[in-house]
């Protein structure tokens, strides 16, 4: 994109520069970091010395800027670099940050703000009050459009292989919107109660709160909303789309199959699930023990699927997908999991008393009563099935030893499962590999002979390879050997589909499409043994792709997992706060027994109070929680979370730097107690309290909402002060303080206003008269620097100062509220704009004007000009005049370069 | 003395909506009164009340009391008005 001029910064100097150049007929690109132009001026109450309304002056200028035909305004944008070209022109890279809102549709109605579940400090009110993650910058914003603040994907959401928006449902619970939380999870999967109990919760492993005192109980929060929903609702509360008339067959009713069926049914397709077992659920029903996942919870989740009209045909194994196509199904999803157990491959495996973990768990789940009291069981393996089998055997009365050929660190089982097993009396024996099942003459198992192992170098899995210790064996006496060394897909099933060497079905990893048109595969049948959430993610993906295929659309667009923002860094999240108060993590509440004897659900549900305590610990890592509340209420369908930042390349002939100033950080003067004493605020904060769009209903002190009777100002905070490395006078502080004195006395007629100052600088048109006016209204001015401020128990403040005009003694005065008149500092961003050459700076790091005496606004780089407070502290009038000087020279540059390039101005 | 980081306090606002609404259901209260009932610091309660005020869930009763405190009351939702 080509423009005559680039103006960096949309404050008063940037707007003025843009308007003047545009009015001359030049095309201008105005780049503003915020979602609105206006800079700091629009946030002011009034301007000095006229006490005109700041909004009334800058509002029309903002509107003129954004709507000027020769100005293209890039809001929420930042210049990442500017390079001067050999011909003297400039190439600028601009990042236009995603707004996540379609501004062409947004009407500025604020419905998204009201619905938003995340509260953050409002930077436009200097953090005095809250705004929402979905927000319009301020009431007079131009353009008046909403944006969503997104720092990235929250770690919990990013970690979920099912694409469940964990941060979203946590935020909805925090807002008391339990049903919406349930519905948000339903967008991913019908298995809400199941995942609330049996998921291994990678979200919790990733939770930033884990870097403090412990993670949120994210999984149990899911169970909380599931239990709440099922106790208060009949059915899922989801209406499927209008029928498409197309039919889809799902083979297998485990987590992948159920999820795929749910997603396709929601989209209006007719879905039939074919299940080989007598009841649906796959491993959820037949492998996971009742104490971890009650059958009732599985049934509740499956009822979600059937409520959408999905037919589940049980006792119906399917091996021929082509036959399904021939039977009239338009698409097929195969999700048959890993139904086969790996063999031990040791002598004696055929003896009575050797079984697989899968068969053992399935038999117990189906009600086969077994009493193992007094028996000894050896479970072979280190995975989750091994842990489930061991703990199940304990409940049946057996003494249980798990033998595993590697060490604890290499166990594939979730560490919680292994720890829980030990708490129930299971013995874990490491570095033992089965060598032979020893049986008696009748063929009954009597022992497992094991080879002792040691760890060698890592193998292909990255885990250290177990190696036999020559001559070292151990015999473990037992009555039952349960083999749980792994699961595998059935390589002999589905002859028309391709299998890899492990027996897994072969498909495109992104689309999950097989070589047979319309046939998709999902879950462990493709990936090999994984876990429930991964299977759910696969089911979602296969359903999405099958739906696209049925609609004749390209197999892409799976935003749930393929198009997420980069994950937010823990350190960046923690750095947003100066302190983090400790909040105790939720306790597990599990009462382990070394002799467990029943299959009752082990983990208690969170109470509502525990759930709310849990969500209160969320740090809102991504800021926006992706809860979708804004999308649901937006009348214009303008919310688009899939937007991404865009990089823009601009070619311009001249650049105007108008990046403004920064305010002194009052934390650097700890003797004044800013940030520690609530009733010590800055003058910019006071300006917000006095503005028509103020954050409170009037001027209130922050500690308790009291209307202050005694207000003190402390001048020259962070300016004319070598202790903070700023000897400069900030020029505007005296006058904005006097302005505020008069406004306070107007707003609070009973208030006393006192200023502690060093000397009053009123150098400007009618400034001295303005000072006198303040005194005439009753403001008190005491000469002498404030040494320190103390806080009383009631929040009042004691100000200690040197009373210069009365003998120089140290005096203490009490106030309700103290206002620090903070100084102006340079904005360091200005000096980082240029890539290959330095924009020269003054000794105080403002943009330098090397020929400032006769050429104000010209910088060290030919063709680059500076406007407003980027080059030093200025009031509004001076900023506007300075912008005029800068753009006059910029225009001269443009005239020399391109005498006839001006754009005719059609609208004035 | 400020007890918690302001960002942390503001983050709690959605969580505090229900308790604040419960307390204000009995009539308007000042920030210190509300703080005493909730058992939370007045500074934090002010932030939550002002957040709710911004989004039209509460509104101040005109005129402060003799001690300089405004009272705040619930704003009826559209549904409540229609009912």
């Amino acid at each position: 994109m080509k423009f005559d001029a680039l103006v960096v910064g949309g404050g008063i100097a940037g707007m003025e520069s843009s308007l003047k150049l545009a009015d001359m007929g030049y095309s201008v690109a105005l780049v503003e970091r915020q979602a609105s132009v206006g800079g700091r001026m629009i946030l002011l109450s009034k301007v000095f010395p006229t006490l005109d309304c700041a909004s009334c002056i800058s509002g029309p200028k903002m509107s003129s800027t954004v709507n000027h035909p020769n100005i293209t305004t890039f809001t929420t944008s930042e210049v990442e670099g500017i390079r001067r070209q050999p011909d003297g022109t400039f190439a600028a890279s601009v990042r236009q940050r995603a707004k996540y809102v379609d501004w062409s549709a947004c009407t500025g109605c604020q419905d998204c703000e009201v619905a938003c579940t995340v509260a953050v400090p409002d930077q436009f009110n200097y953090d005095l009050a809250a705004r929402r993650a979905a927000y319009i910058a301020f009431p007079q914003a131009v353009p008046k459009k909403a944006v969503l603040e997104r720092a990235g994907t929250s770690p919990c959401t990013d970690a979920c292989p099912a694409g469940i928006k964990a941060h979203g449902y946590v935020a909805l619970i925090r807002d008391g919107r339990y049903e919406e939380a349930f519905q948000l999870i339903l967008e991913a999967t019908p298995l809400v109660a199941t995942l609330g109990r049996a998921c291994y919760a990678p979200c919790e492993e990733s939770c930033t709160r884990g870097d403090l005192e412990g993670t949120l109980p994210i999984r149990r929060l899911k169970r909380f909303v599931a239990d709440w929903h099922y106790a208060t609702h009949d059915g899922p509360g989801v209406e499927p789309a209008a029928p498409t008339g197309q039919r889809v067959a799902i083979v297998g009713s485990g987590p992948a199959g159920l999820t795929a069926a749910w997603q396709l049914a929601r989209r209006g397709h007719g879905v039939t699930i074919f299940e080989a077992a007598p009841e649906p659920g796959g491993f959820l029903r037949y492998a996971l023990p009742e104490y971890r996942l009650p059958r009732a919870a599985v049934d509740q989740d499956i009822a979600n699927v059937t409520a959408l009209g999905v037919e589940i045909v049980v006792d119906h194994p399917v091996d021929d997908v082509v036959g399904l196509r021939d039977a009239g199904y338009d698409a097929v999803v195969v999700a048959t999991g890993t139904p086969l157990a790996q063999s031990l491959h040791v002598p004696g495996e055929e003896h009575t008393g050797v079984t697989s973990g899968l068969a053992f768990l399935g038999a117990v789940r189906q009600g086969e009563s077994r009493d193992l009291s007094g028996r000894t069981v050896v479970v072979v393996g280190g995975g989750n099935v091994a842990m489930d089998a061991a703990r199940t055997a304990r409940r049946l009365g057996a003494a249980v030893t798990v033998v595993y050929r590697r060490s604890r660190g290499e166990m594939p089982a979730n560490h919680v499962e292994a720890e829980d097993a030990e708490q129930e009396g299971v013995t874990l024996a490491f570095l033992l590999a089965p060598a032979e099942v020893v049986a008696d003459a009748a063929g009954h198992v009597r022992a497992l002979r094991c080879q002792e192992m040691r760890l060698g170098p890592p193998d292909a899995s990255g885990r250290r390879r177990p190696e036999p210790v020559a001559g070292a064996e151990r015999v473990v006496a037992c009555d039952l050997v349960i083999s749980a060394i792994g699961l595998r897909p059935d390589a002999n099933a589905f002859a028309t589909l391709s299998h890899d060497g492990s027996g897994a079905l072969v498909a495109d990893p992104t689309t999950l499409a097989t070589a047979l048109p319309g046939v998709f595969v999902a879950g462990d049948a493709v990936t090999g043994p994984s876990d429930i959430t991964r299977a759910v993610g696969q089911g979602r993906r296969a359903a999405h792709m099958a739906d696209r295929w049925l609609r004749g659309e390209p197999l892409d667009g799976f935003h749930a997992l393929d198009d997420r923002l980069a994950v937010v860094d823990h350190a960046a999240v923690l750095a947003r706060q100066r302190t983090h108060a400790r909040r105790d993590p939720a306790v597990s509440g599990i009462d382990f027994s070394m002799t467990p004897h029943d299959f009752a659900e082990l983990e208690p549900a969170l109470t509502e109070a525990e759930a709310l305590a849990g969500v209160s610990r969320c740090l809102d890592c991504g800021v926006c929680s992706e809860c979708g509340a804004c999308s649901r209420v937006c009348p214009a369908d303008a919310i688009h979370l899939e937007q991404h930042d865009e990089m823009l390349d601009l070619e311009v002939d001249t650049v105007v730097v108008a990046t403004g100033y920064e305010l002194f950080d009052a934390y650097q003067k700890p003797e004044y107690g800013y940030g520690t004493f609530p009733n010590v605020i800055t003058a910019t904060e006071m300006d917000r309290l006095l503005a028509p769009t103020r954050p409170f209903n009037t001027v209130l002190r922050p500690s308790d909402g009291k209307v202050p009777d005694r207000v003190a100002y402390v001048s020259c905070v962070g300016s004319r002060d070598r202790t903070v490395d700023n000897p400069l006078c900030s020029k505007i502080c005296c006058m904005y303080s006097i302005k505020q004195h008069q406004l306070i006395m107007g707003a609070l007629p009973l208030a006393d206003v006192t200023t502690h100052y060093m000397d009053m600088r009123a150098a400007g048109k009618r400034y001295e008269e303005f000072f006198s006016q303040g005194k005439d209204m009753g403001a008190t001015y005491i000469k002498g620097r404030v040494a320190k401020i103390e806080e009383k128990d009631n929040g009042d403040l004691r100000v200690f100062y040197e009373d210069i005009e009365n003998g120089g003694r140290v005096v203490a005065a009490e106030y309700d509220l103290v206002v620090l008149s903070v100084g102006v500092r340079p904005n360091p961003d200005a000096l980082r704009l240029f890539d290959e050459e330095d924009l020269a700076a003054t000794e105080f790091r403002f943009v330098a004007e090397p020929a400032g005496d006769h050429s104000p606004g010209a910088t060290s780089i030919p063709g680059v000009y500076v406007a407003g407070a980027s080059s030093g502290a200025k009031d509004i009038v001076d900023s506007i005049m300075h912008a005029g000087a800068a753009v006059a020279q910029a225009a001269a540059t443009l005239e020399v370069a391109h005498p006839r390039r001006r754009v005719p101005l059609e609208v004035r | 003395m400020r007890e918690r980081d302001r960002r942390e306090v503001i983050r709690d606002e959605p969580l505090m909506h229900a308790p604040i609404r419960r307390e204000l259901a009995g009539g308007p209260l000042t920030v210190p009164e509300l703080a005493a009932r909730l058992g939370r610091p007045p500074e934090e309660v002010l932030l939550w009340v002002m957040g709710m005020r911004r989004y039209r869930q509460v509104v101040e009763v005109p005129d402060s009391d003799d001690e300089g405190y405004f009272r705040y009351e619930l704003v009826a939702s559209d549904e409540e008005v229609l009912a």
Side-chain angles (χ1 to χ4, degrees):
Chain A
M1 286 184 273
K2 288 189 175 182
F3 297 91
D4 290 320
L6 166 65
V7 176
V8 187
I12 185 62
M15 289 193 297
E16 192 66 23
S17 301
S18 300
L19 283 169
K20 283 189 164 56
L21 284 167
D23 281 346
M24 292 177 203
Y26 297 110
S27 61
V28 179
L30 171 61
V31 177
E32 165 57 41
R33 178 178 293 175
Q34 301 292 352
S36 168
V37 296
R40 293 188 187 274
M41 181 178 170
I42 188 62
L43 303 179
L44 299 176
S45 52
K46 295 178 186 290
V47 296
F48 58 78
T50 58
L51 293 184
D52 287 325
C53 167
S55 296
C56 302
I57 298 170
S58 59
K61 216 175 269 289
M62 292 160 67
S63 183
S64 297
T65 302
V66 169
N67 294 303
H68 198 293
N70 289 348
I71 300 175
T72 302
T73 307
F74 299 98
T75 51
T76 68
S77 299
E78 292 185 58
V79 173
E80 294 208 334
I82 304 173
R83 291 167 307 286
R84 188 149 60 112
Q85 308 292 89
D87 64 356
T89 63
F90 297 89
S93 299
V94 175
R95 176 178 293 277
Q96 189 164 38
R97 281 182 280 112
K99 302 170 176 71
Y100 308 105
V101 177
D102 176 0
W103 276 16
S104 66
C106 177
T107 62
C109 69
Q110 291 188 291
D111 284 0
C112 56
E113 286 191 69
V114 175
C116 181
T117 56
V118 176
V120 295
D122 180 5
Q123 71 271 38
F124 301 105
N125 276 310
Y126 299 104
D127 296 355
L128 281 170
R131 64 164 170 80
R132 301 292 181 257
Y135 70 103
I136 294 172
F138 38 82
Q140 322 91 315
V142 180
K144 190 170 183 180
K145 305 287 184 182
V147 295
L148 269 56
E149 183 180 351
R150 301 185 69 192
T153 301
S154 295
C156 53
T157 299
D158 182 75
C160 182
I164 296 171
K165 291 168 178 167
H167 183 191
Y169 71 75
V170 166
L172 286 163
I173 296 170
R174 186 174 57 194
D175 208 21
R177 293 148 78 168
Y178 305 152
E179 178 60 16
E180 284 182 68
F182 181 80
Q183 293 295 329
L184 183 66
I185 303 166
L186 277 187
E187 287 183 12
T189 179
L191 305 177
V192 190
T194 297
L195 290 174
R197 290 166 167 85
C199 174
Y200 288 119
C203 47
E204 295 183 15
E205 298 284 339
S206 300
C207 176
T208 306
R209 198 87 203 185
D211 293 2
L212 299 172
E213 67 288 88
T215 69
L216 270 69
I218 305 173
R219 174 180 56 77
R220 296 174 72 195
L221 289 166
K222 192 185 289 121
R223 176 182 166 183
F224 170 76
V225 293
D227 290 351
W228 185 87
H229 173 88
Y230 291 134
T232 53
H233 291 71
D234 288 326
V238 171
E239 283 295 319
T244 63
Q246 292 182 298
R247 300 170 64 209
V248 183
I250 311 279
V251 186
S253 66
L258 288 168
T259 299
W262 167 256
Q263 294 290 351
L264 287 161
R266 287 183 73 154
R267 291 165 165 84
H269 302 300
V271 180
T272 303
I273 299 177
F274 295 100
E275 168 57 49
E279 291 185 87
F283 279 11
L284 305 180
R285 185 180 298 279
Y286 291 110
L288 272 71
E290 180 79 9
Y291 64 84
R292 274 184 63 198
L293 179 58
R295 182 185 296 255
V298 177
D299 288 338
Q300 286 173 323
D301 288 346
I302 292 175
N304 292 331
V305 181
T306 54
L308 295 195
V310 173
E311 182 186 9
I312 303 179
V313 182
V314 295
D315 288 321
H316 193 111
V318 172
D319 195 39
D320 178 13
V321 291
V322 176
L324 289 173
R325 298 289 305 275
D326 295 343
Y329 290 99
D330 300 290
V332 178
V333 177
V334 178
T336 46
T338 49
L340 303 180
Q342 302 274 18
S343 169
L344 282 175
H345 295 299
V346 297
E349 192 173 5
E350 73 285 359
H351 289 311
T352 303
V354 179
T355 187
S356 74
L358 215 49
F360 174 73
L361 291 168
V364 174
R365 267 292 226 178
Q366 291 179 79
E368 185 179 308
S369 178
R370 300 184 74 170
D371 182 4
L372 299 180
S373 299
R375 309 277 297 276
T376 302
V377 172
V378 171
V379 178
V380 182
N384 292 319
V385 173
M387 298 304 114
D388 288 341
R391 296 174 70 186
T392 296
R394 284 293 292 153
R395 281 167 171 74
L396 297 173
V400 181
T401 299
V402 173
V403 299
Y404 177 54
R405 60 185 183 150
R406 291 180 164 101
S407 66
R408 183 185 292 269
E410 289 78 32
M411 285 178 76
N414 185 279
H415 68 92
V416 173
E417 290 296 316
E419 290 157 11
D420 290 356
E422 288 182 300
Q423 294 205 65
E424 292 185 340
V426 173
T427 302
L428 302 183
F430 298 107
L431 295 169
L432 289 179
E436 180 188 7
V437 178
V438 181
D440 61 16
H444 293 111
V445 170
R446 286 291 170 259
L448 182 69
R449 184 167 63 80
C450 296
Q451 168 69 54
E452 292 192 12
M453 312 293 281
R454 65 181 168 216
L455 293 180
D459 62 13
S461 73
R463 295 177 300 169
R464 295 180 66 186
R465 183 194 305 276
E467 297 172 345
V469 179
E473 290 190 348
R474 192 189 307 175
V475 176
V476 183
C478 61
D479 308 301
L480 179 64
V481 173
I482 299 174
S483 165
I485 59 169
L487 304 170
R488 60 185 171 86
D490 184 355
N492 296 317
F494 306 109
T496 51
L497 300 177
S498 298
H499 299 258
D500 67 13
S502 71
L505 294 166
V506 174
D508 181 285
T510 302
T511 65
L512 297 182
T514 67
L516 287 180
V519 177
F520 299 82
V521 294
D524 288 4
V526 191
T527 62
S530 61
D531 55 41
I532 304 172
T533 41
R534 284 179 173 76
V536 165
Q538 285 263 310
R540 263 186 106 174
R541 180 182 295 276
H544 173 87
M545 298 303 174
D547 176 62
R548 303 274 292 179
W549 188 83
L550 288 168
R551 296 175 192 275
E553 296 170 347
L555 300 186
D556 58 16
F558 188 50
H559 298 296
L561 283 168
D562 294 346
D563 193 24
R564 296 193 282 206
L565 298 184
V567 64
V568 181
D569 179 58
H570 284 201
V573 173
L574 296 174
R576 292 175 191 156
Q577 293 179 206
R578 291 174 186 270
T579 61
H580 293 271
R582 178 183 169 82
R583 293 193 175 188
D584 292 332
V587 295
S588 81
I590 298 177
D591 187 13
F592 286 104
S593 167
M594 290 296 280
T595 55
H597 58 275
D598 66 31
F599 286 86
E601 187 170 18
L602 202 53
E603 185 177 62
L606 292 172
T607 65
E608 185 174 23
E610 289 171 334
L612 293 175
V615 295
S616 76
R617 301 174 61 243
C618 178
L619 293 164
D620 288 329
C621 300
V623 187
C624 166
S625 71
E626 301 182 69
C627 71
C630 52
S631 301
R632 288 189 286 277
V633 300
C634 178
D637 196 22
I639 309 293
H640 293 284
L641 290 180
E642 72 281 4
Q643 285 185 358
H644 289 278
D645 292 359
E646 286 183 43
M647 291 305 301
L648 309 174
D649 294 321
L650 309 186
E651 296 175 31
V652 298
D653 292 321
T654 187
V655 178
V656 178
V657 177
T659 48
Y661 61 93
E662 289 194 344
L663 290 162
F664 174 74
D665 178 9
Y667 280 93
Q668 292 184 45
K669 298 290 286 182
E671 62 270 33
Y672 293 160
Y674 180 78
T676 304
F677 307 148
N679 293 329
V680 177
I681 65 174
T682 66
T684 46
E685 292 168 14
M686 175 57 90
D687 234 306
R688 290 304 304 145
L689 294 180
L690 290 163
T693 56
R694 54 184 164 259
F696 303 164
N697 46 298
T698 185
V699 178
L700 302 175
R701 66 179 198 169
S703 72
D704 57 3
K706 180 175 183 268
V707 177
D709 292 328
R710 302 163 298 169
V711 182
Y713 276 73
V714 179
S715 292
C716 297
V717 177
S719 52
R720 304 175 68 198
D721 186 348
R722 293 188 184 277
T723 66
V724 293
D725 195 27
N726 186 29
L728 296 180
C729 169
S730 291
K731 196 173 178 183
I732 60 175
C733 316
C734 291
M735 299 313 296
Y736 74 55
S737 299
I738 295 168
K739 173 194 76 177
Q740 291 183 8
H741 303 159
Q742 297 181 35
L743 295 176
I744 289 171
M745 288 185 284
L748 311 175
L750 300 179
D752 295 324
V753 180
T754 304
T755 292
H756 298 272
Y757 73 104
M758 291 163 64
D759 61 297
M760 197 57 69
R761 298 190 171 181
K765 185 180 177 183
R766 300 185 65 81
Y767 286 8
E768 182 64 26
E769 290 85 342
F770 192 57
F771 179 31
S772 299
Q773 183 175 297
K775 287 188 283 191
D776 291 345
M777 288 178 71
T780 304
Y781 294 88
I782 298 175
K783 189 173 179 68
R785 190 144 207 163
V786 169
K788 67 173 179 178
I789 298 174
E790 293 179 348
E791 186 187 52
K792 295 176 66 178
D793 289 343
N794 64 357
D796 289 354
L797 299 157
R798 299 187 78 206
V799 174
F800 294 84
Y801 64 95
E802 182 186 14
D803 190 359
I804 293 175
E805 292 176 333
N806 290 291
R809 64 198 172 96
V810 175
V811 178
E814 291 192 7
Y815 300 101
D816 296 321
L817 186 65
V818 170
V819 183
L820 306 180
S821 297
V822 291
V824 167
R825 303 302 301 264
N827 180 354
D829 291 345
L831 304 179
R832 293 194 283 259
L833 287 173
F834 291 85
D835 283 342
E836 292 165 0
E837 57 190 322
D838 291 334
L839 188 62
T842 68
E843 62 179 307
F844 302 108
R845 308 302 293 164
F846 286 99
V847 176
E849 298 165 275
D853 291 344
H854 56 84
S855 189
T859 71
S860 62
I861 301 177
V864 177
Y865 303 92
V866 60
S870 300
S871 64
K874 293 178 183 62
D875 60 27
I876 292 168
V877 174
D878 284 354
S879 288
I880 290 172
M881 287 196 298
H882 193 248
V887 296
Q889 296 184 79
T893 298
L894 291 170
E895 282 299 298
V896 170
H898 305 288
R900 280 182 288 278
R901 234 177 83 175
R902 285 192 289 170
V903 180
L905 184 61
E906 296 172 357
V907 180
R908 284 185 187 271
Chain B
M1 192 75 78
R2 181 163 290 153
E3 295 182 14
R4 293 198 292 159
D5 188 279
R6 194 180 277 168
R7 187 181 189 93
E8 185 170 311
V9 177
I10 284 174
R11 201 165 49 233
D12 281 347
E13 190 206 311
L15 194 65
M16 297 307 296
H17 286 171
I20 289 173
R21 294 182 75 87
R22 273 196 297 273
E23 296 300 337
L24 293 183
L29 294 170
T30 65
V31 166
E33 289 167 346
L34 200 45
R37 293 182 183 215
L38 294 169
R40 307 300 290 264
E43 182 198 4
E44 299 190 359
V45 174
L46 178 72
L47 281 169
W48 301 328
V49 168
M50 290 306 152
M52 295 175 74
R53 179 182 175 276
R54 175 172 184 163
Y55 296 105
R56 299 176 290 279
Q57 297 179 55
V58 300
V59 66
E60 66 276 9
V61 176
D63 298 329
S64 58
D65 62 17
D66 290 344
E67 295 180 350
Y69 294 102
F70 281 87
R71 289 182 299 148
Y72 299 88
E73 63 183 357
L74 291 174
V75 175
S77 66
D78 292 346
E79 293 78 11
E80 289 166 336
V81 170
L82 291 172

